[in-house]
């Protein structure tokens, strides 16, 4: 099955994935060809990694996906990224993202953060003409699955227009995502978020480290979830 997720609406895609899963459970082999790492992780147990018609590796899905993403996002490792000519990106040229910086609260560059720690994202942008806009950063899993969308329009009222060079800072006081590697995609849209002015995909990454709770390491497997929230329990 070649890129079945590239066509059809959400209902069709869900039906297709379900059918492939059912067929595989009844003892038949399904070969699924895709660039969608999230779907590959959901559907398959083993992967064949091809490049230029040659077999690079054949192993368990988790190992091959990690290898593929490490190769694909090799350039996305810096705490300060020049976005001027970055690809892939989407937009209508009414604004341009120029630079992304990842900082701690003391303005020190970083790409490694403790779980429950704080982080600051700094964007430098340019608007050739005056217009309204909203700013954000989409955080993806290492398999490119959208996970968390940070946006200023949640707290900034409408009516602002921007022109020329603009600097935007977003601070997250408590990052509760599970330990692991995450990809970053900054974006600028109109205030209503109906159209992309500029959307730069997978340009950097952050690593979240496991936390220490009372001298013990809290072991969290991403297979169990995406976020951790402390909760109060009563057992009687």
């Amino acid at each position: 099955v070649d890129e079945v997720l590239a066509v059809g609406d959400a209902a069709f895609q869900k039906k297709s994935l379900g059918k492939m899963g059912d067929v595989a459970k009844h003892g038949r082999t399904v070969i699924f060809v895709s660039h969608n790492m999230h779907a590959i992780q959901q559907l398959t147990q083993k992967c064949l990694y091809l490049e230029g018609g040659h077999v690079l590796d054949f192993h368990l899905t988790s190992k091959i996906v990690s290898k593929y993403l490490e190769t694909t996002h090799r350039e996305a490792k810096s705490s300060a990224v020049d976005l001027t000519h970055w690809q892939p990106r989407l937009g209508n040229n009414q604004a341009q993202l120029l630079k992304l910086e990842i900082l701690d609260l003391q303005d020190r560059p970083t790409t490694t953060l403790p779980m429950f720690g704080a982080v600051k994202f700094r964007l430098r942008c340019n608007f050739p003409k005056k217009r309204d806009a909203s700013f954000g950063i989409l955080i993806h899993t290492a398999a490119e699955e959208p996970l968390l969308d940070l946006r200023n329009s949640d707290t900034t009222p409408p009516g602002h227009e921007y022109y020329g060079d603009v600097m935007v800072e977003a601070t997250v006081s408590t990052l509760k995502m599970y330990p692991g590697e995450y990809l970053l995609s900054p974006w600028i849209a109109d205030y209503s978020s109906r159209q992309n002015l500029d959307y730069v995909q997978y340009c950097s990454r952050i690593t979240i480290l496991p936390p220490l709770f009372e001298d013990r390491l809290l072991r969290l497997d991403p297979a169990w979830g995406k976020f951790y929230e402390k909760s109060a329990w009563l057992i009687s």
Side-chain angles (χ1 to χ4, degrees):
V1 181
D2 188 2
E3 290 289 13
V4 67
L5 298 182
V7 297
D9 57 17
F12 172 79
Q13 293 178 14
K14 183 178 180 181
K15 183 179 178 180
S16 300
L17 291 172
K19 183 64 175 178
M20 283 190 286
D22 290 342
V23 170
K25 288 175 184 176
H26 287 86
R28 299 172 69 183
T29 298
V30 178
I31 299 178
F32 180 55
V33 184
S34 180
H35 293 93
N36 187 320
M37 295 300 106
H38 179 57
I40 283 177
Q41 287 180 315
Q42 284 185 309
L43 284 171
T44 68
Q45 291 80 43
K46 290 186 177 182
C47 279
L48 191 68
Y49 184 5
L50 304 175
E51 184 176 276
H54 299 284
V55 177
L56 295 186
D57 205 349
F58 177 65
H59 213 282
L60 295 175
T61 293
S62 58
K63 181 177 179 180
I64 297 300
V65 166
S66 296
K67 185 173 182 178
Y68 171 81
L69 292 171
E70 179 68 24
T71 303
T72 303
H73 302 299
R74 186 183 290 121
E75 298 177 2
K77 289 186 175 181
S78 175
S79 61
V81 187
D82 182 351
L83 304 178
T84 309
H85 303 292
W86 186 274
Q87 294 294 337
R89 72 197 302 154
L90 303 169
N92 60 12
N93 298 318
Q94 294 182 17
Q96 184 182 19
L97 288 155
L98 302 176
K99 188 176 183 180
L100 167 67
E101 296 177 84
I102 309 167
L103 310 162
D104 63 17
L105 294 192
Q106 286 72 48
D107 282 345
R108 295 173 298 196
T110 184
T111 56
T112 303
L113 309 166
M115 191 175 175
F116 307 117
V119 64
K120 181 189 296 183
F121 301 108
R122 179 179 294 159
L123 294 172
R124 298 187 186 277
C125 325
N126 180 266
F127 289 79
K129 294 182 180 180
K130 184 182 290 188
R131 68 151 304 146
D132 68 302
S134 58
F135 307 88
I137 293 181
L138 184 57
I139 302 179
H140 313 256
T141 66
E144 301 176 0
E145 176 190 7
L147 182 62
L148 176 62
D149 193 18
L150 306 172
R151 55 179 63 209
N152 80 302
S153 56
D154 295 335
T155 55
T156 305
H160 291 271
E161 291 189 327
Y162 305 93
Y163 174 69
D165 291 334
V166 177
M167 187 176 77
V168 181
E169 287 189 353
T171 301
V172 182
S173 58
T174 307
L175 208 56
K176 299 179 181 180
M177 297 185 303
Y178 269 36
E181 285 202 345
Y182 298 90
L183 297 167
L184 304 177
S185 297
W187 55 265
I188 307 173
D190 67 315
Y191 188 82
S192 62
S193 295
R194 291 193 178 96
Q195 56 179 317
N196 285 316
L197 309 187
D198 198 15
Y199 172 38
V200 177
Q201 295 176 292
Y202 320 129
C203 64
S204 190
R205 69 174 76 184
I206 55 174
T207 300
I208 307 297
L209 301 176
L212 273 172
F213 279 172
E214 298 175 356
D215 297 326
R216 65 184 177 86
L217 192 66
L218 178 63
R219 300 196 177 278
L220 297 171
D221 189 329
W224 303 338
K226 308 297 183 186
F227 293 90
Y228 181 86
E229 186 64 62
K230 297 177 184 178
S231 53
W233 293 70
L234 177 63
I235 301 174
S236 60

